[in-house]
């Protein structure tokens, strides 16, 4: 799955560092998801993250991940869809 793993928001909601293989929706968000493009890069990054969990799971980074997850929850996505439909002049009955 290259676009967006359905589990990613759950991982981010934990606040803990997430190391993933290429996931298109998060390529521009290295502050949220650590991403490796090759198996060798994944192994290297895993060693780096595992060796310094305190830095990767600092309170600031955990808060940023949780805030991102909260802003992209299913409820927030439904709100965005409803707002887009309302702005388009359609009636939305949720």
């Amino acid at each position: 799955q290259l676009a967006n793993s359905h589990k990613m928001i759950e991982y981010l909601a934990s606040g803990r560092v997430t190391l993933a293989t290429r996931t298109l929706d998060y390529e521009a968000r290295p502050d949220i998801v650590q991403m490796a493009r090759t198996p060798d890069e994944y192994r290297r990054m895993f060693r780096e993250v595992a060796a310094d969990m305190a830095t990767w799971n600092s309170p600031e980074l955990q808060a940023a991940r949780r805030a991102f997850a909260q802003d992209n929850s299913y409820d927030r996505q439904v709100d965005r869809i409803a707002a887009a439909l309302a702005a388009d002049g359609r009636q939305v009955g949720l």
Side-chain angles (χ1 to χ4, degrees), residues 14-88:
S14 76
R16 301 297 185 172
V17 63
T18 300
L19 173 59
T21 56
R22 188 170 182 224
T23 310
L24 296 176
D25 285 351
Y26 296 94
E27 280 189 318
R29 298 301 311 259
D31 56 319
I32 300 296
V33 176
Q34 302 309 303
M35 197 173 315
R37 289 179 170 31
T38 67
D40 287 338
E41 186 178 23
Y42 188 93
R43 287 186 287 273
R44 179 188 56 77
M45 291 178 75
F46 183 88
R47 285 189 300 271
E48 289 175 11
V49 169
D52 194 8
M53 293 296 281
T55 298
W56 289 101
N57 286 326
S58 70
E60 296 81 15
L61 290 174
Q62 288 192 55
R65 293 178 193 117
R66 287 182 181 125
F68 181 87
Q70 180 70 29
D71 191 47
N72 289 281
S73 68
Y74 287 117
D75 288 341
R76 288 286 295 133
Q77 298 296 7
V78 169
D79 291 345
R80 287 184 181 110
I81 293 166
L85 291 173
D88 192 31

